[in-house]
Amino acid sequence: MYLPKWISVILIVSIFKPQISIGVSDISKQFLKLAKEDEVFDWMVGIRRRIHEHPELGYEEFETSKIIRDELDKLGIDYKYPVATTGVIGYIGSGEPPFVAIRADMDALLMQEMVEWKHKSKVPGKMHACGHDAHVTMLLGAAKILKDHSHLLKGTVVLVFQPAEEGGGGAIRVIDSGVLENVKAIFGLHVSPGLPLGEVSSKSGTLLAGSGFFEAVITGKGGHAAIPQHSIDPILAASNVVVSLQHLVSREADPLDSQVVTVAKFQGGGAFNVIPDSVTIGGTFRAFSKKSFMHLKQRIEEVIIGQAKVQRCNASVEFSSKDKPFFPASINDEGLHKHFVKVAGDVVGASNVKSMLPLMGSEDFSCYQEVMPGYFYFLGMKSESNKNPASVHSPFFEINEDILPFGAAMHASLVANYLTDVQTSETHDEL
């Protein structure tokens, strides 16, 4: 029987790749099941524990980066390294547009882990207390799933393993490197110890606040504490500054426009009977709008200098630095929010997709959202057995490793569906 050549090609493809006829939307419903398979789950748990045992601070993630590159090599995934000192950028798919990115941060925190378990941090004074070890692991899990289904990708997925999220502005350096110039959208997540396992939460529009840091040196004249009239007391001046700064939010800000000013650093003197020459204070300020953020910055400087002068002291104020840059507010793209709700419903069930209020926390993921559409969300990991889990940045913070398949499946589903939607949209536009 004669068959036209094009029919023969279809039959051959159907025999050797039967799943190619299944849409990505249907496949995404299977990603969680794949991620939960013992082989994949155990692989992810092993990676996460290796990273957790060897935490590294921002721009020092050399061992973490090596683990990532070793796993990408095993998966047969191409990548660029180094990017932003220790970052790794991987590529899965056709190598052609459209490009969509998934981001995971890699750095740890400067704190001593207090959780006693077999895989406790082996580096004194350093700990993965914000879940970045899990973030890296889930992105590698997504990479494995996507590589196994790369024939379904209608474009290219860019894997962004980013250094220095914890105040170091790693996202800024990744952007400045130019590796994301052709990326049309980017997705990121953060583990949430208070959200039940398997739930996701986010919102359209402003999600997280813009943040900045300040440090001030208030200088007086040191002397003996028993004869204060011969000194100019910078501790008294700094104390007045701290109190006055709190008035910026309570007395000057619109109550419906959430803002925060917190003084978290106060250093001065080393003896109980000596008035020091100077005091150093520092802290953070947050706001949801750029206008409010810049107004706070202006008023913080005016209050510090003015209150110091009232107490006969001088003051100098510094904002931000190369190591601690300003971060804008995280603003989720409305179109990507609709995409997220649909895809997340497929993966975890519509009842597990929650809306949330904005948080005053900040994320340098917002820097990506300044240059391209981006979407950030929270992934729950609270178990029924742990009714009061420790928060992030706590020395008692723990990862519920059952979260790993959920993160891998969400990452993979969001980008695979995105590429299909983009191609479908462009095809309709051409028609």
Side-chain angles (χ1 to χ4, degrees):
M1 181 178 66
Y2 171 75
L3 290 175
K5 186 176 180 180
W6 63 272
I7 293 180
S8 300
V9 172
I10 291 174
L11 287 174
I12 292 171
V13 171
S14 298
I15 291 169
F16 290 99
K17 279 192 180 287
Q19 67 268 45
I20 201 168
S21 62
I22 301 174
V24 175
S25 180
D26 297 319
I27 283 290
S28 70
K29 296 176 183 178
Q30 302 300 318
F31 282 172
L32 182 56
K33 182 179 178 181
L34 292 171
K36 286 184 174 181
E37 290 181 354
D38 289 345
E39 181 183 354
V40 178
F41 179 73
D42 292 344
W43 171 73
M44 288 193 290
V45 167
I47 292 172
R48 184 255 155 176
R49 291 177 177 179
R50 285 161 60 199
I51 295 173
H52 188 85
E53 288 178 345
H54 301 282
E56 298 170 300
L57 303 181
Y59 301 118
E60 299 174 3
E61 308 97 329
F62 295 103
E63 181 62 29
T64 304
S65 178
K66 185 177 185 303
I67 291 172
I68 292 167
R69 287 179 281 124
D70 286 347
E71 295 302 329
L72 293 178
D73 284 336
K74 293 174 186 176
L75 292 171
I77 295 173
D78 294 333
Y79 58 83
K80 287 184 179 180
Y81 172 84
V83 174
T85 306
T86 53
V88 182
I89 307 296
Y91 303 92
I92 306 173
S94 67
E96 300 294 330
F99 295 89
V100 61
I102 327 170
R103 173 268 210 169
D105 36 17
M106 306 190 299
D107 54 327
L109 289 162
L110 196 62
M111 61 170 52
Q112 181 64 42
E113 181 170 6
M114 302 300 290
V115 181
E116 296 297 333
W117 68 305
K118 184 178 179 180
H119 300 281
K120 180 179 179 180
S121 170
K122 294 181 179 180
V123 184
K126 297 179 184 179
M127 175 190 176
H128 272 291
C130 200
H132 296 188
D133 50 343
H135 295 171
V136 169
T137 302
M138 291 186 284
L139 184 50
L140 284 171
K144 182 176 180 63
I145 293 171
L146 291 167
K147 182 64 176 178
D148 290 342
H149 295 81
S150 59
H151 58 283
L152 292 177
L153 300 178
K154 310 301 183 183
T156 305
V157 175
V158 182
L159 312 171
V160 181
F161 295 93
Q162 177 207 306
E165 184 276 331
E166 297 289 356
I172 297 173
R173 294 199 192 182
V174 171
I175 293 166
D176 289 344
S177 74
V179 295
L180 302 181
E181 284 183 357
N182 297 316
V183 173
K184 293 179 68 71
I186 187 167
F187 295 91
L189 65 75
H190 203 293
V191 297
S192 174
L195 195 65
L197 178 68
E199 288 190 5
V200 294
S201 181
S202 192
K203 68 181 293 293
S204 178
T206 304
L207 179 71
L208 299 171
S211 70
F213 299 92
F214 65 91
E215 185 172 84
V217 178
I218 299 170
T219 305
K221 178 183 177 183
H224 199 291
I227 46 175
Q229 70 273 23
H230 293 163
S231 303
I232 300 175
D233 191 347
I235 289 182
L236 178 61
S239 299
N240 280 319
V241 166
V242 172
V243 173
S244 296
L245 287 174
Q246 302 313 302
H247 298 163
L248 297 182
V249 174
S250 67
R251 298 294 89 184
E252 295 186 19
D254 184 340
L256 300 180
D257 180 15
S258 298
Q259 299 173 36
V260 167
V261 177
T262 295
V263 178
K265 175 181 179 181
F266 195 117
Q267 296 174 341
F272 68 90
N273 60 348
V274 177
I275 295 172
D277 284 319
S278 66
V279 170
T280 299
I281 64 171
T284 184
F285 58 106
R286 312 284 174 102
F288 286 123
S289 73
K290 186 173 183 179
K291 180 180 178 182
S292 297
F293 182 84
M294 297 310 296
H295 179 72
L296 268 184
K297 176 180 179 293
Q298 176 186 334
R299 290 292 292 132
I300 287 170
E301 183 171 19
E302 290 173 351
V303 166
I304 291 174
I305 293 174
Q307 283 296 322
K309 189 174 182 180
V310 167
Q311 302 298 328
R312 300 179 297 150
C313 290
N314 296 315
S316 60
V317 187
E318 290 189 2
F319 292 92
S320 183
S321 67
K322 185 177 181 181
D323 295 328
K324 292 187 180 297
F326 291 152
F327 299 143
S330 297
I331 303 175
N332 280 338
D333 180 81
E334 183 178 355
L336 293 183
H337 176 67
K338 295 176 181 177
H339 175 75
F340 166 79
V341 171
K342 178 182 179 298
V343 173
D346 286 341
V347 178
V348 300
S351 62
N352 290 319
V353 181
K354 308 294 184 182
S355 182
M356 62 181 285
L357 295 173
L359 297 176
M360 294 307 298
S362 67
E363 246 281 355
D364 76 351
F365 185 84
S366 61
C367 299
Y368 299 116
Q369 294 172 311
E370 290 271 284
V371 297
M372 71 185 76
Y375 197 85
F376 196 77
Y377 63 98
F378 291 88
L379 180 64
M381 64 175 185
K382 183 179 180 181
S383 65
E384 294 182 1
S385 61
N386 189 357
K387 301 297 183 183
N388 189 28
S391 67
V392 295
H393 290 220
S394 163
F396 296 98
F397 177 78
E398 296 179 83
I399 288 289
N400 175 2
E401 291 175 333
D402 288 338
I403 194 179
L404 300 177
F406 289 95
M410 280 296 302
H411 275 326
S413 299
L414 283 167
V415 293
N417 279 283
Y418 177 86
L419 290 175
T420 297
D421 290 349
V422 168
Q423 186 191 62
T424 301
S425 174
E426 291 178 350
T427 301
H428 287 168
D429 289 342
E430 291 174 2
L431 294 176

